[in-house]
Amino acid sequence: MLQFQENTASGDWERIASLAAEIWTEHYTPLIGAEQVRYMLDRFQSAEAIRLQVADEGYRYFTVGENGDFFGYCALKQEDDGTLFLSKFYIAKSFRGRGAGRSLLRFALSRFAPAPTAQVWLTVNKHNAASLAAYDKLGFSVVGEIVADIGNGFCMDDYRLESVVSELFEQ
C-alpha cells in the first residue's frame, strides 16, 4: 500500500537527497550531462539545499513510498500571487507508470487547500520528452519558454507548464 507524508525532518531530507541522486543520475545525465547533474544535485537537491528551501523559502516536501522506503517526492511552494509552484516532482524509474506520481501530486495539493481555480506551474527541460508526456497525461499544458542562468556556466532551457488545481483532480 502506498504511503504518503509531508517531510519536515532533517533525516527525511537526507533520504530525499539520496533518492534525488539516484533519479537524477539515471534520468538527467543523458539530457544535460554528468557535470551539470552533479552541480544541480548539490545546489538544488542536497539535504542542505532542501533544509534551506523549507526553512527560508516556503517549500514543502512530500514523499510516496512503501514499507517505510521512499521512491518518489515532490516539493511545492505557494507563490504570493496564489499560484502553486511545483518545484520538484520525481518518481524512481521502477515505479513510474503505476499512478504513484498522480497520487503523490494529489496528496501534496490537498495539503495546501488552494482554490479549485488556482494555477499550478512547473518547468521542464525542453528535451525531456518522457517527462513532458507524463505532465501532459496529468493535465498540464505548455504555456511558454524559460531560459535561466543557474550559475557555474550552466543554464536551464525549459518549457513552463501550467494546469488548474481542479483539473488535476479530475484526470
Side-chain angles (χ1 to χ4, degrees), residues 55-117:
D56 300 340
E57 299 175 39
Y59 285 84
R60 293 172 64 186
Y61 275 78
F62 304 88
T63 53
V64 60
E66 294 176 322
N67 303 316
D69 291 327
F70 302 157
F71 62 78
Y73 70 101
C74 69
L76 284 148
K77 176 184 176 185
Q78 185 139 25
E79 303 280 59
D80 291 338
D81 64 2
T83 63
L84 291 172
F85 174 42
L86 180 58
S87 171
K88 294 157 184 67
F89 187 42
Y90 303 103
I91 303 292
K93 185 176 184 174
S94 61
F95 291 91
R96 293 179 198 148
R98 300 181 186 184
R102 179 184 309 276
S103 296
L104 172 61
L105 182 57
R106 287 178 177 164
F107 174 81
L109 288 171
S110 73
R111 297 311 185 258
F112 281 86
T117 57

Side-chain angles (χ1 to χ4, degrees), residues 16-17 20-25 27-29 31-50 53 61 73 85 87-88 90 123-126 128 148-158:
I16 292 168
E22 172 190 326
I23 293 170
W24 270 69
T25 301
H27 188 80
Y28 289 100
T29 300
L31 291 172
I32 60 176
E35 187 178 353
Q36 186 170 346
V37 166
R38 282 189 300 274
Y39 174 75
M40 292 181 74
L41 284 169
D42 184 55
R43 180 153 184 217
F44 303 112
Q45 305 278 334
S46 67
E48 178 62 10
I50 293 168
Q53 291 161 11
Y61 275 78
Y73 70 101
F85 174 42
S87 171
K88 294 157 184 67
Y90 303 103
T123 61
V124 178
N125 182 286
K126 291 178 183 174
N128 191 346
D149 181 340
I150 58 170
N152 210 36
F154 298 115
C155 77
M156 294 192 320
D157 188 13
D158 294 345

